[in-house]
């Protein structure tokens, strides 16, 4: 089922000199890059649609963590890893393949690009590359990533139908899935982030309809700078909180920090919109 022989053939065929390329590609299915991509799209493009995909992403984290933990199938042996890895021990299904399928596929649906063959092909290539990079790096078997991508697509279609274009519903679903994820995984950091982000999203999404439109490229640049600073501060604060507080208090604090971080990300346009930033002529 996990296609171990095919996985070994892929690893052996991949030139070790290109490992850095595989590492770069795999990050496009990781939480950090996906968060940055979605945040920038939210700040600079159609905010309701981007917020919808953000809600899919945080809901998906809780779902895939519970699924992986309950199935409990291990990753490949460490002697085939091409990079150091200290994350969760479960390999089936692949979380990166799931996330890539969910987020990039979600962008196709939310931004109404699912009828565009070029957009569909590009999305498929990104999902395939992220998935194969996990096999190349030795962190998953080929079967893990195939199932991960398919489960991601299935989850996307289901949540897209349930949420029905309302980001707040997506974030509420994320909170519902986040609670069992925290309990089943014993407080996995990703589960805490997803739960906190979902709660923050529920609070902030009530203001989406009243956010000001982007007025200029200059304002867009300021928004990315302010929002990026907020993300950096949130990540730093989460690390500090995790190291200073006791094991009993740290999970609740991490959830609170991430709730505040998602509120800051989603409401940053309101704060920047109050600044006197004039329009920038597109021809300049």
């Amino acid at each position: 089922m996990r296609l171990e022989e095919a996985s070994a053939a892929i690893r052996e065929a991949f030139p070790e000199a290109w490992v850095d390329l595989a590492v770069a590609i795999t990050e496009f299915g990781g939480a950090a890059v996906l968060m940055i991509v979605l945040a920038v799209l939210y700040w600079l493009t159609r905010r309701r649609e981007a917020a919808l995909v953000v809600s899919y992403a945080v809901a998906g984290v809780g779902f895939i963590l519970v699924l992986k933990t309950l199935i409990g199938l291990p990753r490949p042996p460490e002697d085939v890893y091409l990079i150091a890895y200290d994350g969760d021990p479960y390999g089936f299904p692949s979380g990166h393949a799931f996330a890539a399928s969910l987020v990039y596929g979600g962008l196709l649906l939310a931004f109404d690009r699912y009828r565009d063959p070029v957009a569909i092909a590009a999305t498929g290539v990104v999902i395939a590359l992220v998935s194969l990079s996990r096999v190349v790096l030795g962190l998953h078997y080929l079967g893990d990533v195939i199932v991960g991508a398919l489960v991601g697509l299935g989850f996307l279609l289901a949540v897209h139908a349930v949420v029905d274009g309302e980001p707040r519903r997506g974030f509420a679903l994320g909170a519902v899935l986040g609670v069992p994820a925290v309990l089943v995984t014993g407080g996995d950091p990703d589960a805490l982030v997803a739960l906190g982000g979902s709660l923050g999203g529920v609070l902030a999404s009530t203001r989406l309809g009243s956010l000001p439109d982007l007025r200029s490229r200059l304002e867009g640049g300021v928004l990315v700078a302010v929002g990026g600073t907020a993300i950096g501060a949130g990540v730093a604060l989460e690390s500090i909180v995790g190291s200073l507080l006791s094991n009993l208090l740290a999970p609740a604090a991490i959830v609170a920090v991430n709730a505040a971080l998602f509120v800051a990300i989603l409401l940053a346009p309101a704060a920047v919109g109050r600044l006197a930033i004039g329009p920038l002529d597109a021809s300049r």
Side-chain angles (χ1 to χ4, degrees):
M1 179 181 69
R2 302 184 75 182
L3 305 177
E4 296 180 21
E5 293 184 3
S7 304
I10 291 172
R11 289 195 303 267
E12 292 167 4
F14 189 83
E16 288 193 22
W18 293 3
V19 169
D20 289 344
L21 176 61
V23 171
I25 290 172
T26 208
E27 291 300 328
F28 282 88
V33 170
L34 290 176
M35 182 179 185
I36 292 170
V37 168
L38 291 177
V40 171
L41 285 174
Y42 172 77
W43 292 326
L44 301 184
T45 62
R46 292 153 56 183
R47 288 179 183 143
R48 190 173 191 83
E49 288 82 353
L52 193 62
V53 183
V54 174
S55 76
Y56 295 170
V58 293
V61 172
F63 173 80
I64 195 64
L65 285 175
V66 170
L67 185 63
K68 290 177 70 174
T69 304
L70 291 179
I71 293 174
L73 289 178
R75 295 180 183 274
E78 291 188 13
D79 58 8
V80 303
Y81 291 7
L82 294 185
I83 58 173
Y85 181 78
D86 60 356
D88 73 78
Y90 306 118
F92 182 91
S94 165
H96 276 64
F98 172 89
S101 184
L102 174 60
V103 171
Y104 299 120
L107 291 173
L108 278 182
L109 285 180
F111 283 80
D112 297 322
R113 299 295 301 277
Y114 56 89
R115 296 184 184 90
D116 182 346
V118 175
I120 293 172
T123 301
V125 168
V126 172
I127 295 171
L129 288 176
V130 169
S131 299
L132 287 173
S133 73
R134 305 301 287 172
V135 179
V136 165
L137 295 174
L139 300 174
H140 287 285
Y141 295 114
L142 181 59
D144 300 350
V145 299
I146 292 174
V147 173
L150 291 176
V151 172
L153 178 59
F155 182 83
L156 169 61
L157 295 176
V159 75
H160 186 72
V162 170
V163 170
D164 194 27
E166 178 52 61
R168 194 176 190 190
R169 291 183 188 173
F171 286 116
L173 177 62
V176 170
L177 293 172
V179 172
V182 171
L183 296 176
V184 168
T185 63
D188 181 275
D190 288 338
L192 296 174
V193 170
L195 178 58
S198 297
L199 295 174
V202 170
L203 293 174
S205 57
T206 59
R207 294 281 310 278
L208 291 180
S210 63
L211 294 177
D213 293 331
L214 192 65
R215 295 171 295 183
S216 68
R217 289 181 294 167
L218 176 59
E219 184 178 73
V222 172
L223 186 52
V224 170
V226 170
T229 300
I231 292 176
V235 171
L237 181 58
E238 179 185 330
S239 177
I240 293 171
V241 165
S243 62
L244 292 182
L245 296 182
S246 66
N247 291 336
L248 184 62
L249 296 176
I254 291 173
V255 169
V257 167
N258 281 281
L261 175 58
F262 271 67
V263 169
I265 291 172
L266 294 173
L267 298 187
V272 173
R274 295 176 180 273
L275 302 177
I277 302 174
L280 183 64
D281 190 333
S283 65
R284 296 180 184 176

